[in-house]
PDB file of all heavy atoms in Angstrom:
ATOM      1  N   ALA H   1      28.783 133.611-130.065  1.00 95.00           N
ATOM      2  CA  ALA H   1      28.077 133.947-128.825  1.00 95.00           C
ATOM      3  C   ALA H   1      28.997 134.646-127.828  1.00 95.00           C
ATOM      4  O   ALA H   1      28.580 135.582-127.135  1.00 95.00           O
ATOM      5  CB  ALA H   1      27.488 132.676-128.205  1.00 95.00           C
ATOM      6  N   VAL H   2      30.247 134.213-127.752  1.00 96.00           N
ATOM      7  CA  VAL H   2      31.208 134.830-126.827  1.00 96.00           C
ATOM      8  C   VAL H   2      31.516 136.266-127.248  1.00 96.00           C
ATOM      9  O   VAL H   2      31.568 137.174-126.405  1.00 96.00           O
ATOM     10  CB  VAL H   2      32.497 133.993-126.751  1.00 96.00           C
ATOM     11  CG1 VAL H   2      33.621 134.782-126.075  1.00 96.00           C
ATOM     12  CG2 VAL H   2      32.240 132.700-126.003  1.00 96.00           C
ATOM     13  N   ILE H   3      31.704 136.502-128.531  1.00 96.00           N
ATOM     14  CA  ILE H   3      32.003 137.857-129.011  1.00 96.00           C
ATOM     15  C   ILE H   3      30.810 138.786-128.773  1.00 96.00           C
ATOM     16  O   ILE H   3      30.970 139.939-128.342  1.00 96.00           O
ATOM     17  CB  ILE H   3      32.384 137.825-130.498  1.00 96.00           C
ATOM     18  CG1 ILE H   3      33.718 137.074-130.675  1.00 96.00           C
ATOM     19  CG2 ILE H   3      32.485 139.230-131.071  1.00 96.00           C
ATOM     20  CD1 ILE H   3      34.111 136.830-132.104  1.00 96.00           C
ATOM     21  N   LEU H   4      29.603 138.293-129.024  1.00 95.00           N
ATOM     22  CA  LEU H   4      28.406 139.092-128.752  1.00 95.00           C
ATOM     23  C   LEU H   4      28.290 139.410-127.269  1.00 95.00           C
ATOM     24  O   LEU H   4      27.957 140.540-126.881  1.00 95.00           O
ATOM     25  CB  LEU H   4      27.161 138.337-129.229  1.00 95.00           C
ATOM     26  CG  LEU H   4      26.955 138.234-130.740  1.00 95.00           C
ATOM     27  CD1 LEU H   4      25.765 137.334-131.054  1.00 95.00           C
ATOM     28  CD2 LEU H   4      26.733 139.615-131.348  1.00 95.00           C
ATOM     29  N   SER H   5      28.570 138.407-126.426  1.00 95.00           N
ATOM     30  CA  SER H   5      28.498 138.623-124.976  1.00 95.00           C
ATOM     31  C   SER H   5      29.505 139.673-124.533  1.00 95.00           C
ATOM     32  O   SER H   5      29.202 140.526-123.690  1.00 95.00           O
ATOM     33  CB  SER H   5      28.764 137.303-124.240  1.00 95.00           C
ATOM     34  OG  SER H   5      27.749 136.362-124.507  1.00 95.00           O
ATOM     35  N   ALA H   6      30.715 139.627-125.088  1.00 95.00           N
ATOM     36  CA  ALA H   6      31.739 140.609-124.729  1.00 95.00           C
ATOM     37  C   ALA H   6      31.277 142.018-125.064  1.00 95.00           C
ATOM     38  O   ALA H   6      31.494 142.963-124.279  1.00 95.00           O
ATOM     39  CB  ALA H   6      33.043 140.288-125.442  1.00 95.00           C
ATOM     40  N   ALA H   7      30.647 142.181-126.226  1.00 96.00           N
ATOM     41  CA  ALA H   7      30.153 143.506-126.621  1.00 96.00           C
ATOM     42  C   ALA H   7      29.081 143.999-125.656  1.00 96.00           C
ATOM     43  O   ALA H   7      29.072 145.174-125.253  1.00 96.00           O
ATOM     44  CB  ALA H   7      29.601 143.444-128.049  1.00 96.00           C
ATOM     45  N   ILE H   8      28.189 143.099-125.251  1.00 95.00           N
ATOM     46  CA  ILE H   8      27.127 143.469-124.314  1.00 95.00           C
ATOM     47  C   ILE H   8      27.730 143.883-122.973  1.00 95.00           C
ATOM     48  O   ILE H   8      27.350 144.903-122.385  1.00 95.00           O
ATOM     49  CB  ILE H   8      26.142 142.296-124.128  1.00 95.00           C
ATOM     50  CG1 ILE H   8      25.366 142.050-125.431  1.00 95.00           C
ATOM     51  CG2 ILE H   8      25.171 142.577-122.983  1.00 95.00           C
ATOM     52  CD1 ILE H   8      24.552 140.768-125.427  1.00 95.00           C
ATOM     53  N   TRP H   9      28.693 143.099-122.487  1.00 95.00           N
ATOM     54  CA  TRP H   9      29.272 143.405-121.174  1.00 95.00           C
ATOM     55  C   TRP H   9      30.127 144.660-121.192  1.00 95.00           C
ATOM     56  O   TRP H   9      30.173 145.382-120.193  1.00 95.00           O
ATOM     57  CB  TRP H   9      30.075 142.210-120.666  1.00 95.00           C
ATOM     58  CG  TRP H   9      29.300 141.445-119.630  1.00 95.00           C
ATOM     59  CD1 TRP H   9      29.359 141.604-118.277  1.00 95.00           C
ATOM     60  CD2 TRP H   9      28.304 140.448-119.874  1.00 95.00           C
ATOM     61  NE1 TRP H   9      28.477 140.749-117.657  1.00 95.00           N
ATOM     62  CE2 TRP H   9      27.814 140.031-118.615  1.00 95.00           C
ATOM     63  CE3 TRP H   9      27.784 139.859-121.022  1.00 95.00           C
ATOM     64  CZ2 TRP H   9      26.833 139.051-118.481  1.00 95.00           C
ATOM     65  CZ3 TRP H   9      26.821 138.884-120.888  1.00 95.00           C
ATOM     66  CH2 TRP H   9      26.352 138.491-119.634  1.00 95.00           C
ATOM     67  N   LEU H  10      30.784 144.934-122.294  1.00 96.00           N
ATOM     68  CA  LEU H  10      31.569 146.155-122.372  1.00 96.00           C
ATOM     69  C   LEU H  10      30.656 147.370-122.274  1.00 96.00           C
ATOM     70  O   LEU H  10      30.949 148.334-121.539  1.00 96.00           O
ATOM     71  CB  LEU H  10      32.354 146.187-123.684  1.00 96.00           C
ATOM     72  CG  LEU H  10      33.411 147.286-123.819  1.00 96.00           C
ATOM     73  CD1 LEU H  10      34.446 147.167-122.697  1.00 96.00           C
ATOM     74  CD2 LEU H  10      34.090 147.210-125.176  1.00 96.00           C
ATOM     75  N   ALA H  11      29.531 147.335-122.981  1.00 96.00           N
ATOM     76  CA  ALA H  11      28.560 148.428-122.901  1.00 96.00           C
ATOM     77  C   ALA H  11      27.970 148.517-121.495  1.00 96.00           C
ATOM     78  O   ALA H  11      27.805 149.608-120.932  1.00 96.00           O
ATOM     79  CB  ALA H  11      27.452 148.209-123.928  1.00 96.00           C
ATOM     80  N   LEU H  12      27.662 147.359-120.929  1.00 95.00           N
ATOM     81  CA  LEU H  12      27.098 147.313-119.578  1.00 95.00           C
ATOM     82  C   LEU H  12      28.041 147.959-118.564  1.00 95.00           C
ATOM     83  O   LEU H  12      27.629 148.792-117.741  1.00 95.00           O
ATOM     84  CB  LEU H  12      26.834 145.854-119.193  1.00 95.00           C
ATOM     85  CG  LEU H  12      26.357 145.598-117.760  1.00 95.00           C
ATOM     86  CD1 LEU H  12      24.878 145.928-117.641  1.00 95.00           C
ATOM     87  CD2 LEU H  12      26.608 144.152-117.352  1.00 95.00           C
ATOM     88  N   MET H  13      29.317 147.601-118.630  1.00 94.00           N
ATOM     89  CA  MET H  13      30.268 148.097-117.645  1.00 94.00           C
ATOM     90  C   MET H  13      30.507 149.597-117.789  1.00 94.00           C
ATOM     91  O   MET H  13      30.695 150.310-116.786  1.00 94.00           O
ATOM     92  CB  MET H  13      31.578 147.330-117.762  1.00 94.00           C
ATOM     93  CG  MET H  13      31.462 145.857-117.412  1.00 94.00           C
ATOM     94  SD  MET H  13      30.904 145.585-115.716  1.00 94.00           S
ATOM     95  CE  MET H  13      32.451 145.708-114.834  1.00 94.00           C
ATOM     96  N   MET H  14      30.499 150.111-119.007  1.00 94.00           N
ATOM     97  CA  MET H  14      30.684 151.551-119.188  1.00 94.00           C
ATOM     98  C   MET H  14      29.492 152.335-118.633  1.00 94.00           C
ATOM     99  O   MET H  14      29.648 153.423-118.080  1.00 94.00           O
ATOM    100  CB  MET H  14      30.911 151.871-120.660  1.00 94.00           C
ATOM    101  CG  MET H  14      32.280 151.433-121.165  1.00 94.00           C
ATOM    102  SD  MET H  14      32.714 152.066-122.805  1.00 94.00           S
ATOM    103  CE  MET H  14      31.567 151.132-123.835  1.00 94.00           C
ATOM    104  N   ALA H  15      28.293 151.761-118.747  1.00 95.00           N
ATOM    105  CA  ALA H  15      27.123 152.412-118.165  1.00 95.00           C
ATOM    106  C   ALA H  15      27.153 152.323-116.645  1.00 95.00           C
ATOM    107  O   ALA H  15      26.823 153.290-115.940  1.00 95.00           O
ATOM    108  CB  ALA H  15      25.846 151.768-118.709  1.00 95.00           C
ATOM    109  N   LEU H  16      27.564 151.176-116.114  1.00 93.00           N
ATOM    110  CA  LEU H  16      27.631 151.015-114.664  1.00 93.00           C
ATOM    111  C   LEU H  16      28.712 151.897-114.050  1.00 93.00           C
ATOM    112  O   LEU H  16      28.589 152.334-112.896  1.00 93.00           O
ATOM    113  CB  LEU H  16      27.892 149.550-114.307  1.00 93.00           C
ATOM    114  CG  LEU H  16      26.735 148.583-114.553  1.00 93.00           C
ATOM    115  CD1 LEU H  16      27.130 147.168-114.143  1.00 93.00           C
ATOM    116  CD2 LEU H  16      25.486 149.024-113.793  1.00 93.00           C
ATOM    117  N   ALA H  17      29.775 152.165-114.798  1.00 91.00           N
ATOM    118  CA  ALA H  17      30.824 153.049-114.294  1.00 91.00           C
ATOM    119  C   ALA H  17      30.260 154.442-114.031  1.00 91.00           C
ATOM    120  O   ALA H  17      30.601 155.088-113.031  1.00 91.00           O
ATOM    121  CB  ALA H  17      31.978 153.122-115.295  1.00 91.00           C
ATOM    122  N   GLU H  18      29.388 154.910-114.919  1.00 94.00           N
ATOM    123  CA  GLU H  18      28.749 156.213-114.700  1.00 94.00           C
ATOM    124  C   GLU H  18      27.833 156.176-113.493  1.00 94.00           C
ATOM    125  O   GLU H  18      27.865 157.070-112.635  1.00 94.00           O
ATOM    126  CB  GLU H  18      27.953 156.622-115.938  1.00 94.00           C
ATOM    127  CG  GLU H  18      27.198 157.931-115.756  1.00 94.00           C
ATOM    128  CD  GLU H  18      26.401 158.333-116.978  1.00 94.00           C
ATOM    129  OE1 GLU H  18      26.995 158.406-118.076  1.00 94.00           O
ATOM    130  OE2 GLU H  18      25.182 158.563-116.836  1.00 94.00           O
ATOM    131  N   LEU H  19      27.000 155.140-113.407  1.00 93.00           N
ATOM    132  CA  LEU H  19      26.073 155.034-112.291  1.00 93.00           C
ATOM    133  C   LEU H  19      26.818 154.941-110.960  1.00 93.00           C
ATOM    134  O   LEU H  19      26.396 155.519-109.956  1.00 93.00           O
ATOM    135  CB  LEU H  19      25.163 153.813-112.488  1.00 93.00           C
ATOM    136  CG  LEU H  19      24.152 153.914-113.634  1.00 93.00           C
ATOM    137  CD1 LEU H  19      23.462 152.577-113.866  1.00 93.00           C
ATOM    138  CD2 LEU H  19      23.120 155.004-113.333  1.00 93.00           C
ATOM    139  N   SER H  20      27.929 154.207-110.950  1.00 89.00           N
ATOM    140  CA  SER H  20      28.714 154.067-109.721  1.00 89.00           C
ATOM    141  C   SER H  20      29.360 155.377-109.309  1.00 89.00           C
ATOM    142  O   SER H  20      29.612 155.614-108.121  1.00 89.00           O
ATOM    143  CB  SER H  20      29.805 153.003-109.910  1.00 89.00           C
ATOM    144  OG  SER H  20      29.236 151.741-110.165  1.00 89.00           O
ATOM    145  N   SER H  21      29.649 156.242-110.277  1.00 87.00           N
ATOM    146  CA  SER H  21      30.282 157.523-109.954  1.00 87.00           C
ATOM    147  C   SER H  21      29.292 158.508-109.343  1.00 87.00           C
ATOM    148  O   SER H  21      29.679 159.381-108.565  1.00 87.00           O
ATOM    149  CB  SER H  21      30.916 158.132-111.208  1.00 87.00           C
ATOM    150  OG  SER H  21      29.932 158.634-112.099  1.00 87.00           O
ATOM    151  N   ILE H  22      28.012 158.379-109.680  1.00 89.00           N
ATOM    152  CA  ILE H  22      27.029 159.300-109.118  1.00 89.00           C
ATOM    153  C   ILE H  22      26.289 158.704-107.917  1.00 89.00           C
ATOM    154  O   ILE H  22      25.735 159.437-107.100  1.00 89.00           O
ATOM    155  CB  ILE H  22      26.002 159.755-110.185  1.00 89.00           C
ATOM    156  CG1 ILE H  22      25.222 158.571-110.762  1.00 89.00           C
ATOM    157  CG2 ILE H  22      26.691 160.523-111.293  1.00 89.00           C
ATOM    158  CD1 ILE H  22      24.148 158.971-111.757  1.00 89.00           C
ATOM    159  N   ILE H  23      26.286 157.361-107.808  1.00 88.00           N
ATOM    160  CA  ILE H  23      25.656 156.688-106.660  1.00 88.00           C
ATOM    161  C   ILE H  23      26.633 155.629-106.151  1.00 88.00           C
ATOM    162  O   ILE H  23      26.456 154.428-106.371  1.00 88.00           O
ATOM    163  CB  ILE H  23      24.308 156.034-107.050  1.00 88.00           C
ATOM    164  CG1 ILE H  23      23.419 157.023-107.809  1.00 88.00           C
ATOM    165  CG2 ILE H  23      23.582 155.521-105.810  1.00 88.00           C
ATOM    166  CD1 ILE H  23      22.136 156.429-108.331  1.00 88.00           C
ATOM    167  N   PRO H  24      27.707 156.051-105.470  1.00 84.00           N
ATOM    168  CA  PRO H  24      28.743 155.106-105.049  1.00 84.00           C
ATOM    169  C   PRO H  24      28.394 154.380-103.750  1.00 84.00           C
ATOM    170  O   PRO H  24      28.884 154.715-102.671  1.00 84.00           O
ATOM    171  CB  PRO H  24      29.963 156.012-104.863  1.00 84.00           C
ATOM    172  CG  PRO H  24      29.385 157.310-104.430  1.00 84.00           C
ATOM    173  CD  PRO H  24      28.058 157.445-105.132  1.00 84.00           C
ATOM    174  N   THR H  25      27.524 153.378-103.825  1.00 80.00           N
ATOM    175  CA  THR H  25      27.107 152.646-102.636  1.00 80.00           C
ATOM    176  C   THR H  25      27.328 151.153-102.819  1.00 80.00           C
ATOM    177  O   THR H  25      27.480 150.661-103.937  1.00 80.00           O
ATOM    178  CB  THR H  25      25.615 152.870-102.331  1.00 80.00           C
ATOM    179  OG1 THR H  25      24.828 152.194-103.322  1.00 80.00           O
ATOM    180  CG2 THR H  25      25.270 154.348-102.334  1.00 80.00           C
ATOM    181  N   ALA H  26      27.292 150.430-101.699  1.00 71.00           N
ATOM    182  CA  ALA H  26      27.449 148.975-101.740  1.00 71.00           C
ATOM    183  C   ALA H  26      26.267 148.306-102.421  1.00 71.00           C
ATOM    184  O   ALA H  26      26.358 147.157-102.844  1.00 71.00           O
ATOM    185  CB  ALA H  26      27.603 148.431-100.316  1.00 71.00           C
TER     186      ALA H  26
END
């Protein structure tokens, strides 16, 4: 479960990094 969660969060964070770069708001 921990390894699966890590994979999900790694994908999540890479997508959020893009969104944060185009919409950098609080």
Side-chain angles (χ1 to χ4, degrees):
V2 166
I3 294 173
L4 288 174
S5 295
I8 292 170
W9 258 266
L10 190 59
L12 175 78
M13 295 300 276
M14 288 191 290
L16 289 180
E18 177 180 306
L19 291 171
S20 297
S21 73
I22 60 177
I23 311 175
T25 71

